[in-house]
Amino acid sequence: KNEVEQSPQNLTAQEGEFITINCSYSVGISALHWLQQHPGGGIVSLFMLSSGKKKHGRLIATINIQEKHSSLHITASHPRDSAVYICAPTGTASKLTFGTGTRLQVML
Amino acid sequence: GAVVSQHPSRVICKSGTSVKIECRSLDFQATTMFWYRQFPKQSLMLMATSNEGSKATYEQGVEKDKFLINHASLTLSTLTVTSAHPEDSSFYICSASAQGRGGYNEQFFGPGTRLTVL
């Protein structure tokens, strides 16, 4: 069993839809990153959170430390949101453990 | 947000040559830098953790003599792939860590370097 499980693995949505990506982890963590990787390969850190909820534009991330679960929500999705979204809990020495990623494609 | 650059973005080299990749934090001082490798359709794999002025800590299975890491300043780390072979062809990504609120260190990622060894 992977230490970090993401669901779904692949997601196709229509423009404007509300999207949720889930992450469950079994490792002990101090915080959790949500990352976005575009087809070109570059990675953007969307959020780092250790409790509660954070919002940035159309993106919302939540975490429940007791349940070892985090979610990333995208409101009013757009084709430019198409990317791979990666959940990465942060453990000791700031090391990240990476989920397998969720490949999102938003269609017009 | 914090910006991390990598150079070069793409490199093609002959087998047996050495390739140096630079990672710079442009607008902050990074206490720690991380080097990752990513093969197609796979997750990032941590290669090593680098702190300024000290030797890098390599992950199990990563040859320290093959992947030389130098972290000379708080804004620059370099990864040198020595005697590169085709199996070293991969996407190499660095990240730089800055002390955040509450002691949590957020990582900011460079754009990556695609290495192709012929």
Side-chain angles (χ1 to χ4, degrees):
Chain A
K1 190 178 180 347
N2 291 331
E3 292 179 310
V4 184
E5 298 265 1
Q6 281 185 239
S7 64
Q9 291 187 354
N10 294 284
L11 179 58
T12 301
Q14 292 297 124
E15 184 178 10
E17 283 187 20
F18 180 84
I19 287 161
T20 295
I21 299 170
N22 293 300
C23 173
S24 296
Y25 53 90
S26 57
V27 295
I29 70 167
S30 57
L32 182 143
H33 282 72
W34 278 101
L35 309 172
Q36 179 192 55
Q37 186 170 31
H38 279 282
I43 290 177
V44 174
S45 175
L46 299 174
F47 294 102
M48 186 191 73
L49 65 166
S50 55
S51 65
K53 175 172 142 177
K54 282 191 177 180
K55 184 175 188 294
H56 181 69
R58 295 180 295 107
L59 302 178
I60 302 167
T62 63
I63 189 168
N64 185 317
I65 294 286
Q66 287 74 30
E67 293 186 5
K68 297 194 172 183
H69 182 269
S70 178
S71 293
L72 176 69
H73 307 283
I74 305 174
T75 60
S77 60
H78 190 276
R80 65 173 174 267
D81 297 326
S82 299
V84 176
Y85 291 84
I86 304 167
C87 165
T90 305
T92 55
S94 300
K95 286 188 182 180
L96 303 186
T97 303
F98 295 93
T100 51
T102 295
R103 190 172 299 274
L104 170 66
Q105 187 166 12
V106 182
M107 315 291 285
L108 279 169
Chain B
V3 180
V4 176
S5 70
Q6 267 184 255
H7 178 79
S9 58
R10 186 179 293 267
V11 58
I12 300 172
C13 69
K14 291 184 180 178
S15 187
T17 60
S18 293
V19 174
K20 181 187 281 190
I21 302 169
E22 291 186 351
C23 176
R24 292 180 187 272
S25 57
L26 297 185
D27 52 2
F28 67 101
Q29 292 189 325
T31 50
T32 306
M33 288 184 170
F34 301 85
W35 286 97
Y36 300 91
R37 182 166 54 180
Q38 185 179 36
F39 292 106
K41 305 233 185 256
Q42 293 187 23
S43 293
L44 282 78
M45 288 174 46
L46 178 65
M47 300 175 68
T49 304
S50 170
N51 291 295
E52 183 262 341
S54 59
K55 288 184 180 178
T57 302
Y58 290 81
E59 294 299 299
Q60 194 171 10
V62 178
E63 299 174 57
K64 62 181 181 183
D65 294 329
K66 180 167 182 63
F67 298 100
L68 300 178
I69 292 172
N70 183 277
H71 194 157
S73 76
L74 284 171
T75 59
L76 173 64
S77 177
T78 60
L79 168 68
T80 302
V81 183
T82 62
S83 187
H85 286 94
E87 57 265 30
D88 298 324
S89 298
S90 188
F91 191 58
Y92 292 86
I93 306 172
C94 73
S95 73
S97 174
Q99 186 79 28
R101 261 187 253 174
Y104 303 123
N105 296 341
E106 185 166 1
Q107 288 191 32
F108 300 96
F109 289 80
T113 297
R114 192 163 300 282
L115 170 65
T116 303
V117 185
L118 302 176

